[in-house]
Amino acid sequence: MRVEYINPFVEAAYNILREVLSEEVKRGILYLKSSTNPVKGVAAIVGLAGEVEGRVLFDMTKSTALKIASKMNDEDLLDWDDLARATITELANLITAQAVTKLHDLGFRFDLTPPALITGENMEMYDDYKDETETLIVPMETSFGPVEINVAIRERNRN
Amino acid sequence: MTTETQIETQPEKATIIVKRIDFKMITFTLAGKDYGVDIMRVKEIRKANQFTHVPNTPIFVRGVDNLRGEIIPIIDLRMMFNLPAERRDETELENIIILRVGEIVLGIIVDTIEKVVGISKDTIQPPHPIFGDINVKYISGVVENEGRLYIILDVDRIFTQNKEERAAQAPQTAPLAEIPAPSIPEAAEELNLRFFIETLATFAGFHVSPLNQDWVRNRASEWEEKRRSAHQEVQITSEADAREFLSSFYSPDTDRLWDPTSAKNLVSGLDLGQQGQILVWNPGSGRGTEAYSLAAALKWVHPARPYKIWANDKDLLNISSAPSLSFARDQVPEEYLPLMTETKTGWQFTGEVKSHILFEFHDILHLNPYDNLQLIVVRDVLSFLDVNDQNRLIEEFYDKLRPGGYLLLGKNEKLGHDFTGFREVEGFNQRLYRKKE
């Protein structure tokens, strides 16, 4: 993972989460991973394509997702309904978009795909991509529970 | 005009239709799939059974057989590649292909032996990971013939590789095994050495292996002498001790810009071909001084050639400051200055130099997406990895280098004799190896 890519994601995650939750969030220690990921319960995936390709995965438990969605909508959401799903999708979009904007400013050109949301118990993410690219894990601590942002990106033409 | 072109194209067409047969292979089956081996490697084909079992051999060695007075090992390819093998009656004869690989003659047991197939070398396609049954590195290619797909095995690689692998596994215990076991009365020196090996791993993450054991032995005796004369504890009991012990291990110019003359000497002494992009990989680049020194040296020696340096480290703090690393004026040798500019924080390399280096946050133990390299600079990195990882990475370096590519290790590191694919290049005051062509 090029070092230039790291900060935009960390900053975007920090800024957006702090803004939408209107509270201080804490960033955990970044680390690299090469194996498959267990998914906590709710995963939003945003694809990147262009000079740089890869994907960004936002991973949290369902209860964290519901609480975040409630906070963002300023009402108590009890069920994992359309509104809750749309809210988490939007959160993923916000963070990735801000990161990509920062990367654009640094001269990296690429586009986003619309986020896809996956939910379920005991899921694991098997990704062919992971075999070729290691993943940067950005753990964020919120008062609603942890949100993990997994960033796997690389240049399209390495040589 | 038209007739001329017709005449010219005619023979070409003919050669396409009449397939040129320049490669013959013996085909056989293993667990229902078709395989082939180069006929030049095959000595003969026979049926036999009741091989003489040899104790303490890997499971895939079925035993030895007497081939007209010559004793040859018999290897069960199905077992070797973990393929399902039919349980056969003891008395039933096995199909055996006798191969000659270099100096060795050996027999391999296969399910059925089919026939000789002649093909054109041009139709052989590169192996594809889809043939998951057998590791891709043992496959030299895939070819289609009369509607059947044959996987051509690279027997040289399988059997020489295996020797290497076994050898590579051995060193794990070698440094300890070479030292007499504790039950035998041993010299205090050896006992100390054994402690050093363990404490260095604990306190500094430094793993003693054939890569660095020569240095460790020398350093240990020097250390003991020094400590004794100062009436200090000889054992390493803290991180600080371990750091002091290792202080003379590091290569010259670690964590600072290389001496310009030696950097220039090194790069101009490398045979990097005449044209094309020069690809360099610098794992464990730390703050990036090594990568910058190399970039400068490449610029001095090959001003017109494009080049790219992949520099990575798993220390996030160091590597993320690398792209904007600044130096105080007195840390920069004069020769580097034309490639640098003065900034608020100190002297930095110009954007042009930086554009050739890609700093990445990356763990070398994960998948390394680099290929076709001409130079790998990995000084004092392997010694801080587990012995198994050291060996695995050296093999990986071999795969990732072009033939004739170079591997630069730390000053006090050297390849064991098992890595026969490299030869040492003398005369650089650096530990440089070259991949044999």
Side-chain angles (χ1 to χ4, degrees), chain B residues 159-207:
Chain B
F159 295 106
T160 45
Q161 184 81 15
N162 247 307
K163 236 173 32 187
E164 275 172 27
E165 266 170 27
R166 271 196 294 266
Q169 278 159 12
Q172 198 195 351
T173 47
L176 289 174
E178 278 174 22
I179 301 161
S183 56
I184 307 163
E186 55 188 319
E189 213 176 286
E190 292 295 324
L191 191 68
N192 276 338
L193 191 61
R194 185 196 292 277
F195 276 117
F196 286 144
I197 291 171
E198 274 166 32
T199 47
L200 283 174
T202 314
F203 290 118
F206 182 95
H207 296 272

Side-chain angles (χ1 to χ4, degrees), chain A residues 1-3 30 131 134 158, chain B residues 310 358-359 361-362 366:
Chain A
M1 166 94 49
R2 261 184 93 152
V3 292
L30 308 189
D131 293 338
E134 57 191 347
R158 291 197 56 95
Chain B
W310 305 101
L358 259 162
F359 289 106
F361 178 38
H362 170 68
H366 293 167

Side-chain angles (χ1 to χ4, degrees), chain A residues 1-4 6-7 27 30-34 130-136 155 157-159, chain B residues 277 279 308 310 313-314 316 319-320 323 357-363 366-367 369-372:
Chain A
M1 166 94 49
R2 261 184 93 152
V3 292
E4 287 91 340
I6 299 173
N7 249 338
R27 173 174 72 73
L30 308 189
Y31 61 99
L32 290 167
K33 213 171 182 177
S34 72
K130 290 233 169 61
D131 293 338
E132 293 167 40
T133 315
E134 57 191 347
T135 310
L136 170 76
E155 297 75 47
N157 296 310
R158 291 197 56 95
N159 287 340
Chain B
Q277 195 177 37
L279 291 175
K308 191 170 239 177
W310 305 101
D313 203 287
K314 65 170 182 175
L316 181 61
I319 196 76
S320 34
I357 311 174
L358 259 162
F359 289 106
E360 294 181 302
F361 178 38
H362 170 68
D363 188 339
H366 293 167
L367 194 116
Y370 313 98
D371 219 348
N372 206 14

Side-chain angles (χ1 to χ4, degrees), chain B residues 401-419:
Chain B
L401 280 171
R402 288 182 202 178
Y406 295 92
L407 172 66
L408 186 68
L409 296 179
K411 188 182 114 210
N412 294 310
E413 294 175 320
K414 61 180 191 186
L415 292 183
H417 299 295
D418 317 321
F419 298 102

